[in-house]
């Protein structure tokens, strides 16, 4: 008792000392104390998202998954971020139109992939990976704090790899993935234990089920389920399919894909159909397309129609054009364009995609299209060489190419492909890009070799991620598009810079592009401001006191644009 009283007495003494110190601080503080200096962010650091700007529903897996870059950011702000990104990369080449976003930017992915695994216990710490419980021991419930989905019987989990690792995050549903596809994957997870199907272990190489891929036709409603196995034998496959289709009669086909290699690739080379026709079909821009497990097909059908519609509009087809569809995939753009073109040539490296492209053309009764299974760059180089030989009279039958559609991978095109485009000299190039940075690099090459970027349309194909698709129209600048006039160079005292474009050419360009009439005097004033040497006695006042009109700002900007166009600045 005595010891307890001594402890309480010490507590009272400490409390009293703290109160005295607090009073001293209050009396000693000036009436207008200086505000504390806030830590400053580097100029290039991203601004933190204010709580008021956060989206209402934040994905419970956001911190672990890493698939969505803009979690917590309102959709309108995401669009502004992407607009600024495209403007920064492409704005120097042409006008960038406002980005086309989605009315409903959720559950848009019609291709869903899940990795399967067994939950790995890591001690008894509450909330550890895979146990699906919060720190208080209760199961989480969505945005109120769910840490992970509950494992299926047998500890089976499915989902995505944690960012930068091969640790599987157990996921029930994703905000950007098709809801029916997510439900099918959940139910497959629930069936495995009763059918004694073991999941694949990457560390040991034992087990059967590695991945599940679900693809759904947005318009057709057809559903494909691909079971990726480590070996070709699926126990009780007919009973398994029957049980799965009882839960989801929407499933049109089930395919077993065998991937028996220690690889990060999802799909293997061998496939067998265990239910249905082995593919699904869907409608895009009024055409029907066949989709197999390995076919490239855009994952956002709503925005794809907008993107492809813009690309076709940029091509301005009249029915007389020969069109090349490079990196054609299953032939989507080419088949859509074929209705308005004389002939279409599609090129694709993926053999399965080419097979589907040929079938797609037959299905849509499109007879004016040919497909080639080849590397797009190499094919275009050979096509350019063949055409060059034909022009020299060494070969016959070479087509004049009027339009090239190009939709390369994220790495963009190589110089061999781009140089072949320049050699083929199509009137228009429609560039569909999923990477504004490589797009800018390729535009730099094309604009230095006779093409002019006219317009760029960004389309938000992947809400909640940083990715953005763009389509750019480039047109050929032919020598016969220029205006020929007679000039007395001695009279104008022309310099080497002036020889790149005459004053009349600059006037005509400004009038055509901006609707403004400019004088030679204004042009020479702007040239001097830009450091371009102008003839010593050209457009100078005749007397020292003469009042010389100065070029208005609007016309100055237009003249500078012309000087940039003619590569004078």
């Amino acid at each position: 008792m005595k010891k307890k009283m001594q402890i309480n007495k010490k507590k009272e003494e400490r409390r009293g000392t703290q109160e005295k110190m607090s009073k001293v601080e209050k009396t000693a503080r000036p009436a207008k104390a200086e505000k504390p200096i806030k830590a400053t962010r580097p100029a290039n650091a991203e601004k933190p998202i204010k709580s008021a700007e956060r989206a209402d529903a934040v994905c419970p897996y956001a911190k672990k998954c890493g698939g969505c870059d803009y979690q917590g950011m309102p959709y309108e702000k995401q669009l502004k971020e992407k607009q600024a990104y495209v403007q920064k990369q492409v704005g120097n080449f042409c006008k960038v139109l406002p980005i086309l976003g989605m009315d409903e930017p959720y559950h848009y992915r019609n291709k869903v992939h899940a990795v399967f695994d067994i939950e790995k216990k890591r001690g008894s710490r509450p909330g550890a990976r895979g146990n699906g419980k919060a720190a208080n021991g209760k199961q989480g419930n969505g945005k109120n704090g769910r840490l992970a989905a509950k494992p299926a019987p047998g500890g089976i989990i499915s989902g995505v790899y944690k960012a930068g690792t091969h640790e599987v995050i157990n996921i029930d549903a994703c905000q950007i993935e098709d809801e029916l596809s997510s439900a099918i994957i959940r139910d497959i997870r629930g069936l495995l234990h009763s059918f004694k199907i073991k999941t694949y272990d990457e560390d040991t190489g034992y087990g059967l089920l590695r991945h599940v891929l679900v693809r759904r036709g947005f318009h057709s409603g057809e559903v494909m389920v691909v079971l990726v196995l480590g070996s070709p034998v699926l126990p009780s496959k007919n009973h398994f399919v029957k049980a799965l289709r009882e839960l989801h009669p929407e499933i049109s086909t089930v395919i077993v894909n065998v991937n028996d290699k220690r690889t990060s690739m999802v799909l293997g080379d061998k496939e067998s159909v265990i239910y249905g026709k082995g593919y699904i079909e869907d409608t895009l821009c009024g055409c029907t397309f066949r989709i197999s497990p390995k076919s490239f097909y855009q994952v956002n059908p709503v925005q794809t129609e907008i993107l492809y519609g813009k690309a076709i509009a940029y091509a301005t087809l009249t029915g007389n054009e020969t069109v090349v569809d490079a990196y054609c995939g299953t032939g989507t753009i080419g088949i859509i364009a074929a209705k308005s073109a004389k002939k279409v040539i599609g090129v694709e490296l993926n053999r399965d995609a080419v097979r589907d492209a040929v079938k797609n053309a037959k299905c849509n009764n499109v007879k004016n299209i040919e497909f080639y299974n080849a590397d797009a760059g190499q094919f275009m180089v050979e096509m350019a060489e063949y055409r060059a030989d034909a022009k020299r009279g060494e070969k016959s039958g070479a087509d004049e190419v009027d339009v090239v559609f190009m939709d390369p991978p994220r790495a963009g095109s190589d110089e061999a492909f781009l140089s072949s485009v320049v050699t083929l000299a199509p009137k228009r190039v429609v560039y569909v890009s999923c990477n504004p940075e490589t797009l800018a690099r390729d535009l730099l090459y094309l604009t230095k070799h006779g093409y002019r970027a006219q317009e760029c349309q960004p389309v938000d194909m992947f809400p909640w991620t940083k990715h953005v698709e763009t389509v750019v129209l480039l047109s050929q600048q032919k020598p016969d598009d220029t205006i020929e006039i007679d000039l007395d160079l001695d009279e104008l005292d022309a310099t080497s810079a002036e020889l790149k474009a005459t004053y009349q050419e600059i006037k005509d360009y400004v009038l055509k592009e901006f609707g403004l009439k400019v004088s030679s005097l204004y042009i020479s004033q702007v040239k001097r401001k830009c450091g371009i040497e102008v003839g010593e006695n050209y457009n100078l006042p005749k007397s020292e006191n003469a009042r010389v009109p100065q070029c208005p700002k609007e016309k100055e900007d237009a003249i500078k644009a012309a000087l940039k166009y003619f590569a004078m600045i």
Side-chain angles (χ1 to χ4, degrees), residues 225-404:
V225 175
V226 183
L227 306 173
V228 184
L229 309 181
S231 65
V233 179
L234 177 65
S236 305
K237 62 181 181 183
N238 293 333
H239 293 295
F240 182 81
V241 170
K242 183 180 178 181
L244 181 57
R245 289 201 71 251
E246 284 178 357
L247 295 171
H248 294 285
E250 309 94 339
I251 295 175
S252 312
T253 187
V254 181
I255 300 161
V256 167
N257 177 278
V258 182
N259 184 355
D260 54 5
K261 298 177 182 178
R262 298 279 187 101
T263 174
S264 58
M265 297 291 289
V266 175
L267 297 176
D269 296 326
K270 300 175 183 177
E271 288 179 356
S272 61
V273 180
I274 60 175
Y275 175 76
K277 55 190 178 182
Y279 61 90
I280 60 172
E281 294 180 334
D282 198 23
T283 303
L284 184 68
C285 297
C287 295
T288 301
F289 294 97
R290 175 180 293 202
I291 307 165
S292 62
K294 295 179 182 178
S295 298
F296 173 78
Y297 193 76
Q298 291 280 7
V299 300
N300 186 335
V302 175
Q303 294 297 88
T304 298
E305 290 205 335
I306 294 173
L307 181 75
Y308 287 178
K310 193 69 178 178
I312 299 298
Y314 276 162
T316 56
L317 301 173
T318 63
N320 300 314
E321 294 84 5
T322 297
V323 176
V324 171
D325 180 13
Y327 314 96
C328 70
T330 56
T332 45
I333 294 178
I335 290 172
I336 296 166
K339 295 179 179 180
S340 305
K342 180 178 75 174
K343 180 181 179 181
V344 177
I345 301 168
V347 190
E348 171 58 45
L349 185 60
N350 185 314
R351 186 178 296 274
D352 295 304
V354 173
R355 288 196 191 103
D356 284 343
V358 172
K359 292 171 184 175
N360 287 334
K362 291 180 180 178
C363 179
N364 290 280
N365 197 30
V366 175
K367 299 178 181 179
N368 59 333
I369 190 166
E370 300 172 354
F371 292 102
Y372 294 87
N373 181 203
D375 175 77
Q378 184 61 35
F379 180 87
M380 291 284 283
V381 169
E382 292 175 2
M383 190 174 182
E385 290 175 352
Y386 189 91
R387 185 182 166 204
D389 291 342
K391 281 193 170 184
R392 290 193 296 268
E394 297 174 11
K395 293 181 180 178
S396 61
D399 290 307
E400 288 285 334
V401 177
D402 301 293
V403 178
V404 168

Side-chain angles (χ1 to χ4, degrees), residues 330-497:
T330 56
T332 45
I333 294 178
I335 290 172
I336 296 166
K339 295 179 179 180
S340 305
K342 180 178 75 174
K343 180 181 179 181
V344 177
I345 301 168
V347 190
E348 171 58 45
L349 185 60
N350 185 314
R351 186 178 296 274
D352 295 304
V354 173
R355 288 196 191 103
D356 284 343
V358 172
K359 292 171 184 175
N360 287 334
K362 291 180 180 178
C363 179
N364 290 280
N365 197 30
V366 175
K367 299 178 181 179
N368 59 333
I369 190 166
E370 300 172 354
F371 292 102
Y372 294 87
N373 181 203
D375 175 77
Q378 184 61 35
F379 180 87
M380 291 284 283
V381 169
E382 292 175 2
M383 190 174 182
E385 290 175 352
Y386 189 91
R387 185 182 166 204
D389 291 342
K391 281 193 170 184
R392 290 193 296 268
E394 297 174 11
K395 293 181 180 178
S396 61
D399 290 307
E400 288 285 334
V401 177
D402 301 293
V403 178
V404 168
F405 287 102
M406 50 186 293
D407 186 1
R410 289 191 60 76
S413 293
D414 58 20
E415 190 169 325
F417 178 91
L418 296 173
S419 65
S420 66
V421 171
V422 173
T423 303
L424 286 172
K427 298 181 183 69
R428 289 175 295 282
V429 176
V430 181
Y431 193 139
V432 180
S433 168
C434 58
N435 186 344
E437 293 180 23
T438 54
L439 168 64
R441 181 200 66 202
D442 293 348
L443 289 181
L444 182 62
Y445 183 94
L446 291 171
T447 53
K448 282 185 175 180
H449 292 82
Y451 282 87
R452 176 188 169 210
Q454 289 190 297
E455 192 172 275
C456 170
Q457 176 64 72
V459 179
D460 188 24
M461 294 280 286
F462 311 104
W464 307 99
T465 77
K466 65 182 179 182
H467 301 296
V468 57
E469 293 263 342
T470 53
V471 55
V472 175
L473 169 63
L474 297 104
S475 60
Q476 187 186 50
Q477 296 297 307
K478 292 184 178 179
D480 57 4
D481 288 339
T482 59
I483 300 170
E484 295 183 4
I485 57 172
D486 294 325
L487 283 172
D488 187 342
L489 296 180
D490 292 331
E491 180 183 341
L492 292 181
D493 190 18
T495 65
S496 59

